[in-house]
Amino acid sequence: MNKTEAVLSRNRLVRTFGAQIYNQAVTIAVQLALVPVLLYFWGTERYGVWILLSAIPTYLTFADLGFTMAAKNVMTIKVAEGNRSGAVVTYQSIFMLLNAVIGVALLLLVGVVPFLKISGIFALGSTKEASAIAVLILLAINVLLTQYLLLFASGLRSAGRPAEEVFWSASARLMEGVATVIAASWNEDIVAAALAIVANRIAFNFVVWLRLRFLEPWLALGIRHASLDETRRLFHPSLSFMLVSIGQALTIQGPVVILGAIGTPIQVVIFSTSRTLARLGTSAINMVNFTFTPEYSRLYGLERFQQFARLARLHISGTIAVTIVYVGTLNVSGGVLLATWTHRRVVAEQPFFFLLLLAVAFEMLWSAALMPLASINQHIAASRIFSFLSIVGLATSYTACKWYDGSLVAVTAPLLGLHMLVTAFVIVQLWFRLRAVSRQFRIDKE
């Protein structure tokens, strides 16, 4: 790599890291701001129903089977090789797949959801059945439309603009929060907020598509160059991304759905709000993880195995130290922060809050340990274990919550056990990989 290429590479990394900071700042700001604002405009019960209904469509986030995630890597590699025609094939193949999947999903939404008796499954309080159905359909449509934004982001990354990819996704999330607040301030009907969210998503999809067309006019939408063989080739790398998405959807939104079915809207608010505060640490750790990932891949590709192992050890040891301090600090100050943040509408119940903090801590540890493996495509086993244990953990949470009449501790303890097991598995996997890396370094040195 010459001096000019090194400067360009460093500048891209700096811009991408800055975009990641912006992304995390938006995520945290939206999460923190929406709680007190929506509680103020809607009240605890209506807000609890909103949380419950918005949790369900989250399971559609892996509707594309992770193909947009895999497409980012494939398209970037092809463009770097000078194979623009190959990148177009991948781009249009994923577009064709999304059209088919989203078309089927929309038919199911329109044909099935209106006939569901939601009030017979979840406690809706004063919210009307028709309003709940409308919100559920609209928020599901928003999730499906997001898949197109992810596809356009693949184009931005392949064009050498990963910072823009992060920027547009974060900006869409920011304006979604703003649209929600504006709609809630004008109308107490939660349907208005759902409509505002969908309108925001359509607008951002169009703007990002125009931006991509301006930057890379050769990367056109359509199905002329789409290939079923290309979608088949992307299946296996996509599957691992899908499994992680499934596991995350189950562990993050599953408890909310369980409490909505067994408990009350008040319990949903307590759990969701406490979890939002507790998971602030994961946002910071993920920002570091995403920054390190390209460096792991680069070091491994350059066969600089010693530096790879050293960076991994620094990464994990630093995460452990930060996690210990984070849990200790938030366990002491979390009650005050939560009460101040929600104007004393929500309190940090113990021992539920401490168990929740521990679950988040172990999630922070294994997500950091997974990055060195994921950067060299050695994360497939870990993703399968995580998705499997997520199903077991959610089933256990449901059983325990039902047995103990909607107890917050009962729904949280299985999540802690899940993340502890995943942490142990990933650490062992990483240890064996680092041993192999160190062995390879000694062989090369000899």
Side-chain angles (χ1 to χ4, degrees):
M1 181 182 292
N2 58 44
K3 186 175 181 180
T4 301
E5 290 175 337
V7 171
L8 291 174
S9 178
R10 183 173 64 250
N11 289 341
R12 278 197 299 269
L13 287 173
V14 170
R15 287 195 297 269
T16 303
F17 183 70
Q20 288 290 351
I21 294 176
Y22 169 64
N23 178 53
Q24 294 301 328
V26 166
T27 300
I28 293 173
V30 170
Q31 288 178 341
L32 293 179
L34 282 182
V35 173
V37 172
L38 295 184
L39 280 172
Y40 173 78
F41 285 119
W42 285 343
T44 304
E45 183 185 85
R46 193 183 301 271
Y47 178 54
V49 172
W50 172 263
I51 293 175
L52 174 62
L53 294 175
S54 60
I56 298 173
T58 302
Y59 291 101
L60 291 173
T61 56
F62 50 84
D64 70 333
L65 305 181
F67 277 96
T68 54
M69 296 292 292
K72 292 181 182 181
N73 299 327
V74 173
M75 290 174 61
T76 301
I77 292 172
K78 287 182 177 180
V79 173
E81 294 172 344
N83 184 12
R84 285 189 171 185
S85 60
V88 172
V89 170
T90 301
Y91 186 63
Q92 294 195 359
S93 297
I94 301 305
F95 179 64
M96 176 184 67
L97 178 68
L98 285 181
N99 289 339
V101 172
I102 290 175
V104 172
L106 287 175
L107 287 176
L108 290 175
L109 284 173
V110 176
V112 175
V113 175
F115 300 99
L116 295 178
K117 186 67 175 178
I118 299 180
S119 59
I121 304 173
F122 304 114
L124 298 180
S126 59
T127 301
K128 296 180 180 179
E129 179 84 16
S131 296
I133 290 175
V135 168
L136 194 57
I137 293 176
L138 287 169
L139 294 183
I141 290 174
N142 178 65
V143 171
L144 293 173
L145 290 175
T146 302
Q147 301 300 328
Y148 288 112
L149 182 63
L150 294 176
L151 179 62
F152 302 150
S154 302
L156 290 173
R157 180 182 291 191
S158 68
R161 296 174 178 268
E164 277 208 44
E165 171 196 358
V166 179
F167 169 79
W168 285 112
S169 297
S171 297
R173 193 180 312 117
L174 174 61
M175 290 309 300
E176 180 178 297
V178 172
T180 303
V181 170
I182 293 175
S185 65
W186 284 352
N187 195 326
E188 290 186 355
D189 188 357
I190 58 178
V191 177
L195 283 170
I197 288 174
V198 173
N200 174 79
R201 180 61 58 190
I202 293 173
F204 263 90
N205 282 3
F206 182 68
V207 169
V208 176
W209 173 75
L210 283 179
R211 174 62 174 165
L212 182 59
R213 289 291 293 159
F214 173 78
L215 293 172
E216 305 294 335
W218 56 270
L219 196 58
L221 281 180
I223 60 173
R224 179 183 177 185
H225 301 289
S227 168
L228 288 176
D229 289 336
E230 182 69 3
T231 59
R232 293 191 189 100
R233 280 192 291 271
L234 291 172
F235 177 76
H236 288 293
S238 301
L239 182 61
S240 61
F241 288 119
M242 183 193 71
L243 291 176
V244 172
S245 297
I246 291 174
Q248 289 175 336
L250 289 174
T251 56
I252 293 176
Q253 300 297 349
V256 174
V257 176
I258 290 173
L259 287 172
I262 299 175
T264 65
I266 303 299
Q267 288 175 309
V268 171
V269 171
I270 293 174
F271 180 90
S272 180
T273 307
S274 300
R275 185 190 58 192
T276 298
L277 178 63
R279 285 182 58 84
L280 292 179
T282 62
S283 299
I285 290 298
N286 285 336
M287 184 174 64
V288 176
N289 291 342
F290 297 149
T291 302
F292 280 2
T293 299
E295 186 64 15
Y296 283 126
S297 301
R298 188 184 72 85
L299 291 174
Y300 198 82
L302 293 171
E303 297 185 352
R304 295 179 181 177
F305 302 124
Q306 188 179 35
Q307 291 93 325
F308 181 97
R310 186 183 301 121
L311 181 62
R313 294 188 185 99
L314 175 65
H315 187 184
I316 303 306
S317 60
T319 301
I320 291 173
V322 169
T323 300
I324 292 174
V325 173
Y326 175 75
V327 171
T329 301
L330 206 55
N331 188 52
V332 173
S333 61
V336 176
L337 292 174
L338 198 59
T340 303
W341 176 31
T342 63
H343 302 289
R344 300 190 179 280
R345 291 173 180 261
V346 179
V347 297
E349 295 187 4
Q350 294 291 2
F352 152 70
F353 189 69
F354 180 65
L355 292 178
L356 185 63
L357 281 176
L358 288 180
V360 169
F362 279 101
E363 182 183 0
M364 291 166 63
L365 291 177
W366 73 255
S367 63
L370 186 65
M371 288 302 103
L373 297 172
S375 66
I376 56 175
N377 295 326
Q378 298 295 320
H379 65 295
I380 294 176
S383 66
R384 291 175 178 173
I385 288 295
F386 172 51
S387 60
F388 171 74
L389 290 179
S390 297
I391 296 173
V392 174
L394 191 63
T396 306
S397 291
Y398 175 81
T399 303
C401 187
K402 193 171 184 179
W403 184 266
Y404 290 100
D405 297 325
S407 167
L408 293 174
V409 172
V411 80
T412 306
L415 297 179
L416 172 58
L418 152 71
H419 289 301
M420 290 176 67
L421 289 174
V422 175
T423 300
F425 182 85
V426 175
I427 290 294
V428 170
Q429 288 278 302
L430 179 60
W431 183 74
F432 278 112
R433 175 53 52 182
L434 292 182
R435 281 191 63 187
V437 165
S438 299
R439 190 183 308 114
Q440 185 64 46
F441 169 73
R442 289 194 297 269
I443 292 173
D444 292 346
K445 189 175 182 181
E446 293 173 358

